[in-house]
mmCIF file of all heavy atoms in Angstrom:
data_model
loop_
_atom_site.group_PDB
_atom_site.id
_atom_site.type_symbol
_atom_site.label_atom_id
_atom_site.label_comp_id
_atom_site.label_asym_id
_atom_site.label_seq_id
_atom_site.Cartn_x
_atom_site.Cartn_y
_atom_site.Cartn_z
ATOM 1 N N ARG B 39 -37.739 -4.924 38.867
ATOM 2 C CA ARG B 39 -36.588 -4.179 38.274
ATOM 3 C C ARG B 39 -36.029 -3.206 39.303
ATOM 4 O O ARG B 39 -34.792 -3.014 39.327
ATOM 5 C CB ARG B 39 -37.070 -3.441 37.007
ATOM 6 C CG ARG B 39 -37.439 -4.490 35.919
ATOM 7 C CD ARG B 39 -37.630 -3.804 34.583
ATOM 8 N NE ARG B 39 -38.763 -2.939 34.484
ATOM 9 C CZ ARG B 39 -39.884 -3.263 33.835
ATOM 10 N NH1 ARG B 39 -40.012 -4.460 33.239
ATOM 11 N NH2 ARG B 39 -40.905 -2.403 33.788
ATOM 12 N N GLY B 63 -39.482 -17.538 36.400
ATOM 13 C CA GLY B 63 -38.483 -18.287 35.666
ATOM 14 C C GLY B 63 -37.462 -17.362 35.069
ATOM 15 O O GLY B 63 -37.599 -16.166 35.014
ATOM 16 N N LYS B 69 -36.164 -10.903 30.589
ATOM 17 C CA LYS B 69 -36.930 -9.798 29.949
ATOM 18 C C LYS B 69 -36.762 -8.518 30.796
ATOM 19 O O LYS B 69 -36.510 -7.411 30.232
ATOM 20 C CB LYS B 69 -38.346 -10.164 29.827
ATOM 21 C CG LYS B 69 -38.654 -11.063 28.601
ATOM 22 C CD LYS B 69 -40.182 -11.077 28.359
ATOM 23 C CE LYS B 69 -40.543 -12.120 27.350
ATOM 24 N NZ LYS B 69 -42.045 -12.215 27.201
ATOM 25 N N HIS B 70 -36.825 -8.675 32.110
ATOM 26 C CA HIS B 70 -36.650 -7.517 32.977
ATOM 27 C C HIS B 70 -35.265 -6.924 32.779
ATOM 28 O O HIS B 70 -35.117 -5.710 32.655
ATOM 29 C CB HIS B 70 -36.924 -7.909 34.416
ATOM 30 C CG HIS B 70 -38.324 -8.137 34.765
ATOM 31 N ND1 HIS B 70 -39.254 -7.140 34.674
ATOM 32 C CD2 HIS B 70 -38.982 -9.214 35.223
ATOM 33 C CE1 HIS B 70 -40.436 -7.593 35.028
ATOM 34 N NE2 HIS B 70 -40.293 -8.851 35.372
ATOM 35 N N GLY B 86 -17.187 -15.758 29.180
ATOM 36 C CA GLY B 86 -17.404 -17.189 29.323
ATOM 37 C C GLY B 86 -18.897 -17.443 29.194
ATOM 38 O O GLY B 86 -19.526 -16.972 28.298
ATOM 39 N N ARG B 87 -19.471 -18.162 30.184
ATOM 40 C CA ARG B 87 -20.885 -18.443 30.093
ATOM 41 C C ARG B 87 -21.664 -17.585 31.114
ATOM 42 O O ARG B 87 -22.861 -17.720 31.190
ATOM 43 C CB ARG B 87 -21.162 -19.903 30.315
ATOM 44 C CG ARG B 87 -20.850 -20.377 31.668
ATOM 45 C CD ARG B 87 -21.049 -21.854 31.842
ATOM 46 N NE ARG B 87 -20.472 -22.285 33.124
ATOM 47 C CZ ARG B 87 -20.524 -23.497 33.597
ATOM 48 N NH1 ARG B 87 -21.131 -24.465 32.956
ATOM 49 N NH2 ARG B 87 -19.969 -23.824 34.723
ATOM 50 P P DG C 33 -43.600 -5.047 32.054
ATOM 51 O OP1 DG C 33 -43.704 -4.147 33.266
ATOM 52 O OP2 DG C 33 -42.342 -5.235 31.358
ATOM 53 O "O5'" DG C 33 -44.126 -6.486 32.518
ATOM 54 C "C5'" DG C 33 -45.374 -6.628 33.176
ATOM 55 C "C4'" DG C 33 -45.603 -8.102 33.388
ATOM 56 O "O4'" DG C 33 -45.980 -8.703 32.129
ATOM 57 C "C3'" DG C 33 -44.374 -8.884 33.898
ATOM 58 O "O3'" DG C 33 -44.790 -9.762 34.913
ATOM 59 C "C2'" DG C 33 -43.910 -9.637 32.631
ATOM 60 C "C1'" DG C 33 -45.257 -9.832 31.956
ATOM 61 N N9 DG C 33 -45.192 -10.142 30.489
ATOM 62 C C8 DG C 33 -44.325 -9.592 29.587
ATOM 63 N N7 DG C 33 -44.493 -10.037 28.400
ATOM 64 C C5 DG C 33 -45.588 -10.874 28.477
ATOM 65 C C6 DG C 33 -46.180 -11.657 27.510
ATOM 66 O O6 DG C 33 -45.969 -11.751 26.308
ATOM 67 N N1 DG C 33 -47.268 -12.419 28.018
ATOM 68 C C2 DG C 33 -47.645 -12.418 29.352
ATOM 69 N N2 DG C 33 -48.704 -13.144 29.693
ATOM 70 N N3 DG C 33 -47.027 -11.691 30.297
ATOM 71 C C4 DG C 33 -46.002 -10.961 29.772
ATOM 72 P P DG C 34 -43.638 -10.509 35.802
ATOM 73 O OP1 DG C 34 -44.076 -10.368 37.208
ATOM 74 O OP2 DG C 34 -42.337 -10.023 35.372
ATOM 75 O "O5'" DG C 34 -43.782 -11.999 35.321
ATOM 76 C "C5'" DG C 34 -44.816 -12.798 35.780
ATOM 77 C "C4'" DG C 34 -45.273 -13.816 34.768
ATOM 78 O "O4'" DG C 34 -45.387 -13.271 33.472
ATOM 79 C "C3'" DG C 34 -44.371 -15.004 34.529
ATOM 80 O "O3'" DG C 34 -44.395 -15.952 35.604
ATOM 81 C "C2'" DG C 34 -44.993 -15.633 33.277
ATOM 82 C "C1'" DG C 34 -45.543 -14.371 32.585
ATOM 83 N N9 DG C 34 -44.856 -14.025 31.333
ATOM 84 C C8 DG C 34 -43.874 -13.184 31.093
ATOM 85 N N7 DG C 34 -43.485 -13.123 29.831
ATOM 86 C C5 DG C 34 -44.248 -14.085 29.213
ATOM 87 C C6 DG C 34 -44.294 -14.517 27.816
ATOM 88 O O6 DG C 34 -43.618 -14.114 26.907
ATOM 89 N N1 DG C 34 -45.219 -15.515 27.651
ATOM 90 C C2 DG C 34 -46.025 -16.048 28.639
ATOM 91 N N2 DG C 34 -46.905 -17.000 28.237
ATOM 92 N N3 DG C 34 -46.049 -15.657 29.887
ATOM 93 C C4 DG C 34 -45.120 -14.672 30.125
ATOM 94 P P DC C 35 -43.408 -17.226 35.649
ATOM 95 O OP1 DC C 35 -43.488 -17.820 36.998
ATOM 96 O OP2 DC C 35 -42.087 -16.736 35.145
ATOM 97 O "O5'" DC C 35 -43.980 -18.240 34.602
ATOM 98 C "C5'" DC C 35 -45.319 -18.727 34.706
ATOM 99 C "C4'" DC C 35 -45.641 -19.584 33.506
ATOM 100 O "O4'" DC C 35 -45.540 -18.747 32.340
ATOM 101 C "C3'" DC C 35 -44.622 -20.689 33.318
ATOM 102 O "O3'" DC C 35 -45.099 -21.900 33.885
ATOM 103 C "C2'" DC C 35 -44.526 -20.815 31.795
ATOM 104 C "C1'" DC C 35 -45.092 -19.516 31.272
ATOM 105 N N1 DC C 35 -44.067 -18.713 30.506
ATOM 106 C C2 DC C 35 -43.984 -18.856 29.138
ATOM 107 O O2 DC C 35 -44.684 -19.713 28.574
ATOM 108 N N3 DC C 35 -43.071 -18.069 28.466
ATOM 109 C C4 DC C 35 -42.365 -17.147 29.115
ATOM 110 N N4 DC C 35 -41.518 -16.430 28.439
ATOM 111 C C5 DC C 35 -42.462 -17.000 30.511
ATOM 112 C C6 DC C 35 -43.342 -17.764 31.198
ATOM 113 P P DA C 37 -43.362 -28.267 29.792
ATOM 114 O OP1 DA C 37 -44.337 -29.371 29.619
ATOM 115 O OP2 DA C 37 -42.422 -28.292 30.979
ATOM 116 O "O5'" DA C 37 -42.465 -28.177 28.461
ATOM 117 C "C5'" DA C 37 -43.069 -27.580 27.280
ATOM 118 C "C4'" DA C 37 -42.037 -27.457 26.221
ATOM 119 O "O4'" DA C 37 -41.396 -26.150 26.358
ATOM 120 C "C3'" DA C 37 -40.886 -28.467 26.351
ATOM 121 O "O3'" DA C 37 -40.544 -28.943 25.075
ATOM 122 C "C2'" DA C 37 -39.789 -27.691 27.022
ATOM 123 C "C1'" DA C 37 -39.996 -26.366 26.385
ATOM 124 N N9 DA C 37 -39.381 -25.255 27.113
ATOM 125 C C8 DA C 37 -39.306 -25.100 28.461
ATOM 126 N N7 DA C 37 -38.672 -23.983 28.826
ATOM 127 C C5 DA C 37 -38.372 -23.368 27.622
ATOM 128 C C6 DA C 37 -37.687 -22.186 27.353
ATOM 129 N N6 DA C 37 -37.239 -21.366 28.311
ATOM 130 N N1 DA C 37 -37.568 -21.842 26.051
ATOM 131 C C2 DA C 37 -38.027 -22.668 25.087
ATOM 132 N N3 DA C 37 -38.669 -23.871 25.240
ATOM 133 C C4 DA C 37 -38.781 -24.129 26.554
ATOM 134 P P DT C 42 -18.642 -20.603 24.075
ATOM 135 O OP1 DT C 42 -18.549 -19.186 23.805
ATOM 136 O OP2 DT C 42 -18.129 -21.617 23.109
ATOM 137 O "O5'" DT C 42 -17.948 -20.901 25.477
ATOM 138 C "C5'" DT C 42 -18.405 -20.162 26.608
ATOM 139 C "C4'" DT C 42 -18.392 -20.998 27.819
ATOM 140 O "O4'" DT C 42 -19.304 -22.153 27.715
ATOM 141 C "C3'" DT C 42 -17.025 -21.681 28.155
ATOM 142 O "O3'" DT C 42 -16.842 -21.551 29.528
ATOM 143 C "C2'" DT C 42 -17.250 -23.146 27.787
ATOM 144 C "C1'" DT C 42 -18.689 -23.275 28.269
ATOM 145 N N1 DT C 42 -19.423 -24.467 27.863
ATOM 146 C C2 DT C 42 -20.098 -25.174 28.810
ATOM 147 O O2 DT C 42 -20.098 -24.870 30.028
ATOM 148 N N3 DT C 42 -20.777 -26.299 28.389
ATOM 149 C C4 DT C 42 -20.794 -26.754 27.065
ATOM 150 O O4 DT C 42 -21.433 -27.733 26.756
ATOM 151 C C5 DT C 42 -20.103 -25.905 26.114
ATOM 152 C C7 DT C 42 -20.049 -26.313 24.692
ATOM 153 C C6 DT C 42 -19.421 -24.824 26.547
ATOM 154 P P DA C 43 -15.436 -21.039 30.111
ATOM 155 O OP1 DA C 43 -15.427 -19.581 30.211
ATOM 156 O OP2 DA C 43 -14.371 -21.746 29.401
ATOM 157 O "O5'" DA C 43 -15.481 -21.618 31.589
ATOM 158 C "C5'" DA C 43 -16.659 -21.519 32.329
ATOM 159 C "C4'" DA C 43 -16.755 -22.623 33.360
ATOM 160 O "O4'" DA C 43 -17.389 -23.843 32.743
ATOM 161 C "C3'" DA C 43 -15.427 -23.138 33.883
ATOM 162 O "O3'" DA C 43 -15.584 -23.344 35.271
ATOM 163 C "C2'" DA C 43 -15.108 -24.415 33.077
ATOM 164 C "C1'" DA C 43 -16.533 -24.947 32.875
ATOM 165 N N9 DA C 43 -16.720 -25.659 31.616
ATOM 166 C C8 DA C 43 -16.230 -25.364 30.328
ATOM 167 N N7 DA C 43 -16.595 -26.183 29.398
ATOM 168 C C5 DA C 43 -17.407 -27.097 30.064
ATOM 169 C C6 DA C 43 -18.118 -28.237 29.616
ATOM 170 N N6 DA C 43 -18.140 -28.657 28.367
ATOM 171 N N1 DA C 43 -18.834 -28.953 30.526
ATOM 172 C C2 DA C 43 -18.826 -28.522 31.820
ATOM 173 N N3 DA C 43 -18.213 -27.476 32.353
ATOM 174 C C4 DA C 43 -17.460 -26.780 31.431
#
Side-chain angles (χ1 to χ4, degrees):
Chain B
R39 294 193 291 255
K69 280 194 189 176
H70 285 300
R87 67 182 166 177

